[in-house]
Amino acid sequence: MVSLLRPMSLTEFRADASAQVAWVAHMGGHVWIRKHGKVVAGVVPFYQLRMLDALDYGTTDPEVKRRMLEREYAAWKRAVALKPEPVREAPPPIDPERADMMALYERRRRARLGLE
């Protein structure tokens, strides 16, 4: 019995993508693509994608799906707009004594390297 599921890394898929897509189209199998060990994407036959769309959106009409996706995107943008920006703290002031030491160290380093 031939397995109709092929899990593979993104690198493996990229090396032989054309053959994998042809296998999916011909055999009706699925390719699961892993990135860092986690499944992140899949390649499925088009007829199964249409079935998933119908289950997900209740229709295969592209105009209805477009409107539904626009609504979802607008809701996502509103949610992101509500998220407050992180407050960035000002860097601590440089201690003048330490700044003098750093400048002295830099002058000595440049002199040692013959840059002055």
Side-chain angles (χ1 to χ4, degrees), residues 61-81:
D61 180 21
E63 184 60 29
V64 172
K65 287 195 308 185
R66 184 187 62 76
R67 285 194 308 264
M68 294 176 88
L69 284 171
E70 284 176 354
R71 260 189 258 135
E72 288 178 24
Y73 180 66
W76 175 80
K77 285 193 75 151
R78 284 192 303 273
V80 168

Side-chain angles (χ1 to χ4, degrees), residues 2-3 9 22 25 28 44 48 52 58 60 64 66 76 84 91 102 104 113:
V2 175
S3 173
S9 71
V44 298
Q48 289 182 2
L52 288 171
T60 57
V64 172
R66 184 187 62 76
W76 175 80
M102 290 171 53
L104 177 63
L113 296 173

Side-chain angles (χ1 to χ4, degrees), residues 42-58:
V43 180
V44 298
F46 188 71
Y47 75 90
Q48 289 182 2
L49 180 63
R50 289 184 61 122
M51 289 173 23
L52 288 171
D53 276 349
L55 287 173
D56 201 19
Y57 296 105

Side-chain angles (χ1 to χ4, degrees), residues 72-100:
E72 288 178 24
Y73 180 66
W76 175 80
K77 285 193 75 151
R78 284 192 303 273
V80 168
L82 294 175
K83 185 178 173 183
E85 287 292 319
V87 178
R88 293 197 174 124
E89 296 180 17
I94 296 177
D95 179 21
E97 189 175 309
R98 181 178 158 102
D100 290 341

Side-chain angles (χ1 to χ4, degrees), residues 101-116:
M101 289 175 59
M102 290 171 53
L104 177 63
Y105 170 79
E106 183 62 21
R107 278 196 303 275
R108 287 182 178 167
R109 185 184 72 80
R110 290 178 66 81
R112 190 173 56 244
L113 296 173
L115 300 173
E116 285 189 356

Side-chain angles (χ1 to χ4, degrees), residues 1-6 23-24 26-30:
M1 181 174 154
V2 175
S3 173
L4 293 180
L5 172 64
R6 287 186 178 174
W23 177 80
V24 167
H26 181 71
M27 297 295 293
H30 298 173

